[in-house]
Amino acid sequence: MMDKEGNYNMCKAVIDLTNKGRAEGHTEAIAFSIKSIMQSFNYSFEQACAVLKIDAKDMERYRKMI
């Protein structure tokens, strides 16, 4: 990451990358959970999302992953 003067802040870059990886891992874990609920309980996608209390606005992102 560059600051106003064009210098790199490597600590911030590493923290940002770590946080991005965590967010991606969290998203993948939720998609896996939805798929597992659908298979284990023979639920629809919408029913599995309801069990996990996933908002309607986020459902489309997970639908694309499954």
Side-chain angles (χ1 to χ4, degrees):
M1 301 288 150
M2 268 196 243
D3 61 15
K4 293 181 215 175
E5 293 81 33
N7 298 316
Y8 284 101
N9 181 336
M10 292 307 290
C11 286
K12 180 158 176 27
V14 169
I15 290 169
D16 289 346
L17 285 172
T18 300
N19 288 339
K20 182 179 177 187
R22 285 183 182 149
E24 289 173 2
H26 180 75
T27 299
E28 290 175 10
I30 292 173
F32 178 81
S33 296
I34 293 168
K35 190 172 182 178
S36 294
I37 290 170
M38 290 171 66
Q39 291 172 346
S40 296
F41 300 104
N42 198 29
Y43 279 6
S44 69
F45 174 81
E46 290 76 13
Q47 289 170 318
C49 287
V51 168
L52 295 172
K53 297 182 178 12
I54 295 173
D55 293 336
K57 63 180 179 160
D58 293 327
M59 286 173 65
E60 198 56 39
R61 174 176 35 154
Y62 296 115
R63 186 185 307 274
K64 292 176 184 177
M65 296 178 72
I66 294 178

